[in-house]
Amino acid sequence: MATPTLRQLEYLAAVVDTGSFTRAAEQLHVTQPALSHQIRALETALGGPLLERLPRSVRLTPTGRAVLPHARAALAEADRLQAVARRATGLEEGELEVAAVYSISLGILPPVLRAWHRRHPGVRIRLREYAHADRLQEAMAAGRADLAIGPAPEGWEGPIRELGVEEFTVVLAADDPLADDSRADDGLREGRREGRTAGSVALGALADRAWVHYAPDNGLADLLDQACARAGFHPRAAVRAEQTSAAPLLAAAGLGPALVPADIIPPQFDGLLLRPDPPIRRTLTAYTRTRPDPLTVAFAELLAERARINPAAAEQLAGHG
């Protein structure tokens, strides 16, 4: 039995992505007969049809659906192999693919990427963002990134480096009645953030509120549901945000409380920030495959050095400990 080639796998992915043999051939700069020939050769090599030709499109057969993720992983690994070969002699040029959950790319990565660019201006960073930690780990396992940043992965066999503990805050409108709480506390506040902080709040005290929730495929939707379940209620949704960055803005506008990572609170924020009681936290990590190349190792080291996760909140907690 013939072994599938990378070219055949590339052709398969192109046909699926474009939904057409004609458009795939145009994208790949080959003739349609040549493309069709390679797809038939791939189907022969794998022992069955991968695509079903429809009048105006194509769709995967069950065998095709099983094969496609492995084809994409093989193509991604081939791309990385070429990149590793190019940068094996040093850290002066190349490309690094970094994957992260949304809150990381909003609050933690920007200063790290700025420092990286100063040290290695010839190395390009390709950032891939994921709404859910499970999707992030799946992308790493499929070979779509060199390094992932997010909650600790389950059952991961490669190196894992803890970066710190992410603190969550409850956001409300600045004129919310809870703003009159006399327990003023600046624990979640940094010099660049102007949100008013008024102590802590038990989530149960907000059980009758309609919340700024997250879309079901956003991992923070699970986190909010679990936190509220521990407090004895299920949060009603006033609105569901697709993007993590929208949640604090919607809460500050008065649509309802939101539970957000403290690091994503934007500068000059005019909402009310309250520390959940008990605190809600999660450990953040950077992880790679079993044998990361020197460029990936260098980025992981800089990340551990420069990533500042809730510094003001951590200091406040330490002071109360």
mmCIF file of all heavy atoms in Angstrom, residues 112-150:
data_model
loop_
_atom_site.group_PDB
_atom_site.id
_atom_site.type_symbol
_atom_site.label_atom_id
_atom_site.label_comp_id
_atom_site.label_asym_id
_atom_site.label_seq_id
_atom_site.Cartn_x
_atom_site.Cartn_y
_atom_site.Cartn_z
ATOM 1 N N VAL A 112 5.101 40.838 27.587
ATOM 2 C CA VAL A 112 6.060 39.773 27.274
ATOM 3 C C VAL A 112 6.463 39.851 25.806
ATOM 4 O O VAL A 112 7.648 39.746 25.456
ATOM 5 C CB VAL A 112 5.457 38.393 27.598
ATOM 6 C CG1 VAL A 112 6.408 37.271 27.180
ATOM 7 C CG2 VAL A 112 5.136 38.281 29.083
ATOM 8 N N LEU A 113 5.486 40.047 24.936
ATOM 9 C CA LEU A 113 5.778 40.135 23.503
ATOM 10 C C LEU A 113 6.615 41.375 23.187
ATOM 11 O O LEU A 113 7.479 41.342 22.303
ATOM 12 C CB LEU A 113 4.477 40.159 22.702
ATOM 13 C CG LEU A 113 3.638 38.876 22.765
ATOM 14 C CD1 LEU A 113 2.339 39.046 21.984
ATOM 15 C CD2 LEU A 113 4.421 37.683 22.249
ATOM 16 N N ARG A 114 6.378 42.451 23.921
ATOM 17 C CA ARG A 114 7.183 43.658 23.715
ATOM 18 C C ARG A 114 8.642 43.388 24.075
ATOM 19 O O ARG A 114 9.561 43.752 23.333
ATOM 20 C CB ARG A 114 6.617 44.799 24.561
ATOM 21 C CG ARG A 114 7.313 46.131 24.332
ATOM 22 C CD ARG A 114 6.487 47.283 24.892
ATOM 23 N NE ARG A 114 6.122 47.076 26.280
ATOM 24 C CZ ARG A 114 4.878 46.886 26.705
ATOM 25 N NH1 ARG A 114 3.894 46.849 25.835
ATOM 26 N NH2 ARG A 114 4.622 46.720 27.992
ATOM 27 N N ALA A 115 8.860 42.715 25.195
ATOM 28 C CA ALA A 115 10.236 42.381 25.604
ATOM 29 C C ALA A 115 10.881 41.409 24.624
ATOM 30 O O ALA A 115 12.065 41.520 24.302
ATOM 31 C CB ALA A 115 10.223 41.788 27.015
ATOM 32 N N TRP A 116 10.091 40.453 24.119
ATOM 33 C CA TRP A 116 10.622 39.479 23.157
ATOM 34 C C TRP A 116 11.059 40.167 21.870
ATOM 35 O O TRP A 116 12.111 39.865 21.316
ATOM 36 C CB TRP A 116 9.571 38.419 22.867
ATOM 37 C CG TRP A 116 10.006 37.419 21.836
ATOM 38 C CD1 TRP A 116 9.715 37.439 20.503
ATOM 39 C CD2 TRP A 116 10.819 36.267 22.045
ATOM 40 N NE1 TRP A 116 10.292 36.372 19.871
ATOM 41 C CE2 TRP A 116 10.981 35.635 20.801
ATOM 42 C CE3 TRP A 116 11.421 35.708 23.171
ATOM 43 C CZ2 TRP A 116 11.719 34.467 20.649
ATOM 44 C CZ3 TRP A 116 12.158 34.546 23.023
ATOM 45 C CH2 TRP A 116 12.308 33.930 21.778
ATOM 46 N N HIS A 117 10.245 41.111 21.411
ATOM 47 C CA HIS A 117 10.575 41.806 20.162
ATOM 48 C C HIS A 117 11.868 42.610 20.315
ATOM 49 O O HIS A 117 12.661 42.703 19.368
ATOM 50 C CB HIS A 117 9.427 42.725 19.751
ATOM 51 C CG HIS A 117 9.676 43.459 18.476
ATOM 52 N ND1 HIS A 117 9.750 42.834 17.255
ATOM 53 C CD2 HIS A 117 9.902 44.783 18.235
ATOM 54 C CE1 HIS A 117 9.992 43.732 16.310
ATOM 55 N NE2 HIS A 117 10.096 44.917 16.881
ATOM 56 N N ARG A 118 12.080 43.173 21.488
ATOM 57 C CA ARG A 118 13.320 43.918 21.700
ATOM 58 C C ARG A 118 14.524 42.983 21.679
ATOM 59 O O ARG A 118 15.585 43.339 21.165
ATOM 60 C CB ARG A 118 13.264 44.675 23.028
ATOM 61 C CG ARG A 118 12.363 45.898 23.011
ATOM 62 C CD ARG A 118 12.655 46.818 24.168
ATOM 63 N NE ARG A 118 12.412 46.171 25.455
ATOM 64 C CZ ARG A 118 11.289 46.271 26.128
ATOM 65 N NH1 ARG A 118 10.291 47.001 25.643
ATOM 66 N NH2 ARG A 118 11.143 45.666 27.297
ATOM 67 N N ARG A 119 14.378 41.797 22.230
ATOM 68 C CA ARG A 119 15.503 40.857 22.292
ATOM 69 C C ARG A 119 15.720 40.125 20.975
ATOM 70 O O ARG A 119 16.854 39.832 20.595
ATOM 71 C CB ARG A 119 15.263 39.822 23.401
ATOM 72 C CG ARG A 119 15.308 40.378 24.807
ATOM 73 C CD ARG A 119 15.232 39.246 25.818
ATOM 74 N NE ARG A 119 15.109 39.748 27.177
ATOM 75 C CZ ARG A 119 15.106 38.971 28.261
ATOM 76 N NH1 ARG A 119 15.206 37.658 28.115
ATOM 77 N NH2 ARG A 119 14.987 39.490 29.466
ATOM 78 N N HIS A 120 14.626 39.778 20.292
ATOM 79 C CA HIS A 120 14.721 38.955 19.079
ATOM 80 C C HIS A 120 13.867 39.572 17.974
ATOM 81 O O HIS A 120 12.839 39.007 17.582
ATOM 82 C CB HIS A 120 14.254 37.526 19.366
ATOM 83 C CG HIS A 120 14.920 36.894 20.559
ATOM 84 N ND1 HIS A 120 16.228 36.486 20.550
ATOM 85 C CD2 HIS A 120 14.443 36.625 21.801
ATOM 86 C CE1 HIS A 120 16.540 35.977 21.732
ATOM 87 N NE2 HIS A 120 15.476 36.049 22.509
ATOM 88 N N PRO A 121 14.261 40.723 17.452
ATOM 89 C CA PRO A 121 13.424 41.406 16.438
ATOM 90 C C PRO A 121 13.249 40.616 15.162
ATOM 91 O O PRO A 121 12.303 40.869 14.412
ATOM 92 C CB PRO A 121 14.192 42.715 16.193
ATOM 93 C CG PRO A 121 15.602 42.414 16.604
ATOM 94 C CD PRO A 121 15.492 41.458 17.750
ATOM 95 N N GLY A 122 14.118 39.634 14.899
ATOM 96 C CA GLY A 122 13.995 38.857 13.671
ATOM 97 C C GLY A 122 13.096 37.658 13.777
ATOM 98 O O GLY A 122 12.856 36.959 12.787
ATOM 99 N N VAL A 123 12.568 37.393 14.958
ATOM 100 C CA VAL A 123 11.702 36.230 15.168
ATOM 101 C C VAL A 123 10.243 36.680 15.182
ATOM 102 O O VAL A 123 9.836 37.476 16.022
ATOM 103 C CB VAL A 123 12.044 35.514 16.490
ATOM 104 C CG1 VAL A 123 11.104 34.326 16.702
ATOM 105 C CG2 VAL A 123 13.491 35.051 16.486
ATOM 106 N N ARG A 124 9.476 36.179 14.249
ATOM 107 C CA ARG A 124 8.064 36.529 14.169
ATOM 108 C C ARG A 124 7.255 35.671 15.143
ATOM 109 O O ARG A 124 7.533 34.493 15.324
ATOM 110 C CB ARG A 124 7.532 36.321 12.751
ATOM 111 C CG ARG A 124 8.226 37.173 11.696
ATOM 112 C CD ARG A 124 7.669 36.909 10.318
ATOM 113 N NE ARG A 124 7.835 35.509 9.923
ATOM 114 C CZ ARG A 124 8.948 35.007 9.416
ATOM 115 N NH1 ARG A 124 10.007 35.778 9.250
ATOM 116 N NH2 ARG A 124 9.018 33.729 9.083
ATOM 117 N N ILE A 125 6.246 36.275 15.739
ATOM 118 C CA ILE A 125 5.331 35.563 16.639
ATOM 119 C C ILE A 125 3.978 35.450 15.951
ATOM 120 O O ILE A 125 3.400 36.452 15.513
ATOM 121 C CB ILE A 125 5.156 36.295 17.976
ATOM 122 C CG1 ILE A 125 6.487 36.382 18.724
ATOM 123 C CG2 ILE A 125 4.106 35.585 18.835
ATOM 124 C CD1 ILE A 125 6.995 35.052 19.239
ATOM 125 N N ARG A 126 3.487 34.233 15.832
ATOM 126 C CA ARG A 126 2.125 34.011 15.341
ATOM 127 C C ARG A 126 1.278 33.592 16.536
ATOM 128 O O ARG A 126 1.526 32.566 17.161
ATOM 129 C CB ARG A 126 2.091 32.935 14.268
ATOM 130 C CG ARG A 126 0.671 32.636 13.761
ATOM 131 C CD ARG A 126 0.659 31.580 12.680
ATOM 132 N NE ARG A 126 1.344 32.039 11.479
ATOM 133 C CZ ARG A 126 1.467 31.301 10.384
ATOM 134 N NH1 ARG A 126 0.972 30.066 10.372
ATOM 135 N NH2 ARG A 126 2.082 31.777 9.331
ATOM 136 N N LEU A 127 0.289 34.408 16.867
ATOM 137 C CA LEU A 127 -0.538 34.165 18.045
ATOM 138 C C LEU A 127 -1.861 33.542 17.640
ATOM 139 O O LEU A 127 -2.583 34.074 16.797
ATOM 140 C CB LEU A 127 -0.784 35.485 18.786
ATOM 141 C CG LEU A 127 -1.673 35.407 20.032
ATOM 142 C CD1 LEU A 127 -1.029 34.512 21.098
ATOM 143 C CD2 LEU A 127 -1.914 36.814 20.586
ATOM 144 N N ARG A 128 -2.174 32.414 18.258
ATOM 145 C CA ARG A 128 -3.464 31.754 18.054
ATOM 146 C C ARG A 128 -4.235 31.821 19.368
ATOM 147 O O ARG A 128 -3.709 31.445 20.411
ATOM 148 C CB ARG A 128 -3.277 30.298 17.630
ATOM 149 C CG ARG A 128 -2.504 30.118 16.312
ATOM 150 C CD ARG A 128 -2.352 28.635 15.986
ATOM 151 N NE ARG A 128 -1.557 28.415 14.791
ATOM 152 C CZ ARG A 128 -2.054 28.386 13.557
ATOM 153 N NH1 ARG A 128 -3.356 28.555 13.383
ATOM 154 N NH2 ARG A 128 -1.271 28.177 12.509
ATOM 155 N N GLU A 129 -5.479 32.294 19.304
ATOM 156 C CA GLU A 129 -6.278 32.470 20.514
ATOM 157 C C GLU A 129 -7.437 31.469 20.553
ATOM 158 O O GLU A 129 -8.060 31.188 19.529
ATOM 159 C CB GLU A 129 -6.823 33.889 20.572
ATOM 160 C CG GLU A 129 -5.737 34.957 20.625
ATOM 161 C CD GLU A 129 -6.324 36.346 20.589
ATOM 162 O OE1 GLU A 129 -6.559 36.854 19.474
ATOM 163 O OE2 GLU A 129 -6.562 36.908 21.667
ATOM 164 N N TYR A 130 -7.704 30.971 21.752
ATOM 165 C CA TYR A 130 -8.765 29.985 21.930
ATOM 166 C C TYR A 130 -9.669 30.401 23.089
ATOM 167 O O TYR A 130 -9.196 30.914 24.107
ATOM 168 C CB TYR A 130 -8.168 28.597 22.194
ATOM 169 C CG TYR A 130 -7.408 28.064 21.009
ATOM 170 C CD1 TYR A 130 -6.054 28.355 20.827
ATOM 171 C CD2 TYR A 130 -8.040 27.301 20.036
ATOM 172 C CE1 TYR A 130 -5.354 27.898 19.718
ATOM 173 C CE2 TYR A 130 -7.359 26.841 18.922
ATOM 174 C CZ TYR A 130 -6.008 27.134 18.769
ATOM 175 O OH TYR A 130 -5.335 26.683 17.666
ATOM 176 N N ALA A 131 -10.969 30.158 22.915
ATOM 177 C CA ALA A 131 -11.938 30.552 23.932
ATOM 178 C C ALA A 131 -11.971 29.574 25.105
ATOM 179 O O ALA A 131 -12.399 29.942 26.198
ATOM 180 C CB ALA A 131 -13.328 30.665 23.315
ATOM 181 N N HIS A 132 -11.520 28.349 24.890
ATOM 182 C CA HIS A 132 -11.645 27.310 25.924
ATOM 183 C C HIS A 132 -10.306 26.605 26.103
ATOM 184 O O HIS A 132 -9.596 26.341 25.125
ATOM 185 C CB HIS A 132 -12.728 26.310 25.515
ATOM 186 C CG HIS A 132 -13.273 25.509 26.656
ATOM 187 N ND1 HIS A 132 -12.532 24.539 27.309
ATOM 188 C CD2 HIS A 132 -14.488 25.534 27.263
ATOM 189 C CE1 HIS A 132 -13.269 24.003 28.258
ATOM 190 N NE2 HIS A 132 -14.459 24.580 28.264
ATOM 191 N N ALA A 133 -9.969 26.291 27.339
ATOM 192 C CA ALA A 133 -8.704 25.607 27.625
ATOM 193 C C ALA A 133 -8.636 24.239 26.961
ATOM 194 O O ALA A 133 -7.552 23.786 26.576
ATOM 195 C CB ALA A 133 -8.513 25.472 29.141
ATOM 196 N N ASP A 134 -9.782 23.572 26.818
ATOM 197 C CA ASP A 134 -9.782 22.269 26.146
ATOM 198 C C ASP A 134 -9.389 22.398 24.681
ATOM 199 O O ASP A 134 -8.643 21.574 24.145
ATOM 200 C CB ASP A 134 -11.167 21.622 26.251
ATOM 201 C CG ASP A 134 -11.489 21.156 27.664
ATOM 202 O OD1 ASP A 134 -10.572 21.130 28.505
ATOM 203 O OD2 ASP A 134 -12.662 20.835 27.922
ATOM 204 N N ARG A 135 -9.899 23.467 24.021
ATOM 205 C CA ARG A 135 -9.540 23.684 22.617
ATOM 206 C C ARG A 135 -8.054 24.032 22.502
ATOM 207 O O ARG A 135 -7.388 23.642 21.533
ATOM 208 C CB ARG A 135 -10.369 24.832 22.023
ATOM 209 C CG ARG A 135 -11.870 24.697 22.124
ATOM 210 C CD ARG A 135 -12.424 23.583 21.291
ATOM 211 N NE ARG A 135 -12.436 22.318 22.007
ATOM 212 C CZ ARG A 135 -13.304 22.016 22.973
ATOM 213 N NH1 ARG A 135 -14.217 22.893 23.352
ATOM 214 N NH2 ARG A 135 -13.266 20.844 23.566
ATOM 215 N N LEU A 136 -7.542 24.747 23.474
ATOM 216 C CA LEU A 136 -6.116 25.092 23.485
ATOM 217 C C LEU A 136 -5.262 23.828 23.557
ATOM 218 O O LEU A 136 -4.309 23.650 22.785
ATOM 219 C CB LEU A 136 -5.819 25.992 24.689
ATOM 220 C CG LEU A 136 -4.352 26.376 24.929
ATOM 221 C CD1 LEU A 136 -3.866 27.325 23.854
ATOM 222 C CD2 LEU A 136 -4.194 27.005 26.310
ATOM 223 N N GLN A 137 -5.604 22.919 24.474
ATOM 224 C CA GLN A 137 -4.829 21.692 24.614
ATOM 225 C C GLN A 137 -4.963 20.815 23.372
ATOM 226 O O GLN A 137 -3.989 20.190 22.937
ATOM 227 C CB GLN A 137 -5.288 20.926 25.862
ATOM 228 C CG GLN A 137 -4.425 19.706 26.167
ATOM 229 C CD GLN A 137 -4.744 19.083 27.510
ATOM 230 O OE1 GLN A 137 -5.367 19.703 28.373
ATOM 231 N NE2 GLN A 137 -4.321 17.840 27.710
ATOM 232 N N GLU A 138 -6.151 20.769 22.778
ATOM 233 C CA GLU A 138 -6.339 19.990 21.550
ATOM 234 C C GLU A 138 -5.470 20.542 20.423
ATOM 235 O O GLU A 138 -4.889 19.782 19.643
ATOM 236 C CB GLU A 138 -7.815 20.019 21.144
ATOM 237 C CG GLU A 138 -8.729 19.205 22.056
ATOM 238 C CD GLU A 138 -10.196 19.444 21.761
ATOM 239 O OE1 GLU A 138 -10.484 20.176 20.774
ATOM 240 O OE2 GLU A 138 -11.048 18.935 22.503
ATOM 241 N N ALA A 139 -5.381 21.867 20.342
ATOM 242 C CA ALA A 139 -4.562 22.480 19.291
ATOM 243 C C ALA A 139 -3.092 22.130 19.480
ATOM 244 O O ALA A 139 -2.374 21.846 18.514
ATOM 245 C CB ALA A 139 -4.755 23.995 19.304
ATOM 246 N N MET A 140 -2.621 22.140 20.717
ATOM 247 C CA MET A 140 -1.237 21.767 20.984
ATOM 248 C C MET A 140 -0.996 20.307 20.633
ATOM 249 O O MET A 140 0.015 19.950 20.021
ATOM 250 C CB MET A 140 -0.897 22.014 22.451
ATOM 251 C CG MET A 140 -0.470 23.447 22.753
ATOM 252 S SD MET A 140 1.096 23.902 21.959
ATOM 253 C CE MET A 140 2.244 22.878 22.873
ATOM 254 N N ALA A 141 -1.925 19.445 21.020
ATOM 255 C CA ALA A 141 -1.770 18.019 20.743
ATOM 256 C C ALA A 141 -1.776 17.749 19.237
ATOM 257 O O ALA A 141 -1.115 16.812 18.764
ATOM 258 C CB ALA A 141 -2.884 17.233 21.427
ATOM 259 N N ALA A 142 -2.507 18.583 18.484
ATOM 260 C CA ALA A 142 -2.576 18.415 17.035
ATOM 261 C C ALA A 142 -1.404 19.068 16.318
ATOM 262 O O ALA A 142 -1.316 19.004 15.095
ATOM 263 C CB ALA A 142 -3.888 18.990 16.504
ATOM 264 N N GLY A 143 -0.499 19.700 17.069
ATOM 265 C CA GLY A 143 0.685 20.284 16.473
ATOM 266 C C GLY A 143 0.491 21.647 15.857
ATOM 267 O O GLY A 143 1.227 22.031 14.950
ATOM 268 N N ARG A 144 -0.483 22.429 16.338
ATOM 269 C CA ARG A 144 -0.752 23.730 15.726
ATOM 270 C C ARG A 144 0.010 24.872 16.393
ATOM 271 O O ARG A 144 -0.135 26.027 15.971
ATOM 272 C CB ARG A 144 -2.256 24.038 15.768
ATOM 273 C CG ARG A 144 -3.089 23.032 15.002
ATOM 274 C CD ARG A 144 -4.504 23.522 14.775
ATOM 275 N NE ARG A 144 -5.328 22.444 14.253
ATOM 276 C CZ ARG A 144 -6.247 21.795 14.965
ATOM 277 N NH1 ARG A 144 -6.450 22.122 16.229
ATOM 278 N NH2 ARG A 144 -6.956 20.822 14.429
ATOM 279 N N ALA A 145 0.789 24.603 17.429
ATOM 280 C CA ALA A 145 1.544 25.666 18.092
ATOM 281 C C ALA A 145 2.791 25.081 18.740
ATOM 282 O O ALA A 145 2.873 23.872 18.989
ATOM 283 C CB ALA A 145 0.676 26.380 19.132
ATOM 284 N N ASP A 146 3.752 25.961 19.004
ATOM 285 C CA ASP A 146 4.984 25.541 19.670
ATOM 286 C C ASP A 146 4.845 25.580 21.182
ATOM 287 O O ASP A 146 5.474 24.795 21.891
ATOM 288 C CB ASP A 146 6.142 26.463 19.255
ATOM 289 C CG ASP A 146 6.405 26.404 17.761
ATOM 290 O OD1 ASP A 146 6.713 25.307 17.270
ATOM 291 O OD2 ASP A 146 6.287 27.447 17.095
ATOM 292 N N LEU A 147 4.038 26.527 21.685
ATOM 293 C CA LEU A 147 3.899 26.715 23.125
ATOM 294 C C LEU A 147 2.489 27.193 23.411
ATOM 295 O O LEU A 147 1.929 27.985 22.651
ATOM 296 C CB LEU A 147 4.931 27.745 23.609
ATOM 297 C CG LEU A 147 4.902 28.151 25.085
ATOM 298 C CD1 LEU A 147 6.325 28.343 25.607
ATOM 299 C CD2 LEU A 147 4.111 29.457 25.264
ATOM 300 N N ALA A 148 1.904 26.699 24.487
ATOM 301 C CA ALA A 148 0.555 27.087 24.881
ATOM 302 C C ALA A 148 0.592 27.749 26.246
ATOM 303 O O ALA A 148 1.396 27.391 27.113
ATOM 304 C CB ALA A 148 -0.371 25.875 24.915
ATOM 305 N N ILE A 149 -0.294 28.726 26.447
ATOM 306 C CA ILE A 149 -0.396 29.425 27.727
ATOM 307 C C ILE A 149 -1.846 29.397 28.159
ATOM 308 O O ILE A 149 -2.734 29.889 27.445
ATOM 309 C CB ILE A 149 0.081 30.885 27.614
ATOM 310 C CG1 ILE A 149 1.430 30.959 26.906
ATOM 311 C CG2 ILE A 149 0.179 31.526 28.996
ATOM 312 C CD1 ILE A 149 1.813 32.354 26.489
ATOM 313 N N GLY A 150 -2.099 28.813 29.320
ATOM 314 C CA GLY A 150 -3.461 28.723 29.814
ATOM 315 C C GLY A 150 -3.497 27.933 31.107
ATOM 316 O O GLY A 150 -2.459 27.645 31.714
#
